[in-house]
Amino acid sequence: MKPWELLGETQAPDGTPMALTRRDLEYLILAGGKPLMSSLMHGSEEALATLACKRARTLSEPCVLVGGLGMGFTLRATLDLLPPGATVIVAELVPAVIAWNRGPLGPLAEHPLKDRRVRVLEGDVLDVMRANPARFDAVILDVDNGPRAFTASGNAALYGNEGVATARAALKPDGLLAVWSAWDDRKFEQRLRYGGFAVEVTRVRARLKKGGPRHTLFLGRNPR
């Protein structure tokens, strides 16, 4: 078996080491030495975008926020669903992840950062939501491993009561919050309900019909 090739190293804001590696056709991002995401398992991210954009894709000029760039698969699926007049803002906390998507990871998702509808912001998605009240038709959060964050401890605030309230305030009426998670989280589901969202929870395979581990998608609609 071929060894993993190291393509890049960086640190999360809290100091957690991160690395981009490759072996054959698979790319892997590690956080603290543990696998964070693989290029071979992105079906659940595509499902997240599909559910998040169900209403936004029917609008002529929707505005969508994607929190967390990852390997670009969530962004690519979002772009494939939305019309030419859409605006998609991507908030990514780790500068190296943006650079990796403009470099070796770019071809995996057909270079979504080159799409003219995309605006990339380097920083915390929580700050972006605070600065844009009632702007978004959909907010898609694919940050860390979901509500049980382990890459950056600061991500926990995104999924707490303040983060839920901030997300709702950033959405237009009938706007949708879609959150990817590696695991079920009943407390987070309840937090969304207490925060005023109409909530649905679904579980999908990482490779959809091809199997893989199950991931959880939280969907919260901002009622009128």
Side-chain angles (χ1 to χ4, degrees), residues 9-90:
E9 292 181 292
T10 190
Q11 285 188 338
D14 68 349
T16 301
M18 298 179 65
L20 172 64
T21 63
R22 175 181 62 194
R23 184 171 66 191
D24 294 328
L25 299 178
E26 182 179 11
Y27 291 77
L28 194 67
I29 292 180
L30 304 169
K34 299 177 181 179
L36 181 62
M37 62 191 74
S38 165
S39 62
L40 299 184
M41 292 193 292
H42 52 83
S44 58
E45 285 86 350
E46 293 164 1
L48 179 73
T50 299
L51 293 169
C53 295
K54 185 175 181 179
R55 176 177 173 272
R57 66 189 299 183
T58 68
L59 306 175
S60 59
E61 296 182 345
C63 186
V64 174
L65 173 63
V66 176
L69 179 56
M71 292 184 172
F73 293 113
T74 303
L75 176 59
R76 165 48 58 200
T78 300
L79 293 169
D80 288 347
L81 292 163
L82 296 179
T87 298
V88 181
I89 297 175
V90 180

Side-chain angles (χ1 to χ4, degrees), residues 106-125:
L108 297 181
E110 300 178 11
H111 300 282
L113 294 185
K114 293 183 178 181
D115 193 295
R116 64 176 180 80
R117 295 170 291 174
V118 174
R119 179 186 174 197
V120 182
L121 299 179
E122 180 186 314
D124 193 330
V125 66

Side-chain angles (χ1 to χ4, degrees), residues 87-162:
T87 298
V88 181
I89 297 175
V90 180
E92 172 53 52
L93 191 61
V94 183
V97 172
I98 300 172
W100 293 343
N101 274 269
R102 287 181 171 142
L105 295 178
L108 297 181
E110 300 178 11
H111 300 282
L113 294 185
K114 293 183 178 181
D115 193 295
R116 64 176 180 80
R117 295 170 291 174
V118 174
R119 179 186 174 197
V120 182
L121 299 179
E122 180 186 314
D124 193 330
V125 66
L126 196 55
D127 292 335
V128 176
M129 291 191 292
R130 288 192 187 108
N132 291 276
R135 180 177 182 184
F136 301 110
D137 296 287
V139 172
I140 305 173
L141 299 181
D142 187 6
V143 177
D144 210 317
N145 263 334
R148 301 186 200 177
F150 77 83
T151 301
S153 56
N155 287 334
L158 178 62
Y159 300 109
N161 292 330
E162 179 188 358

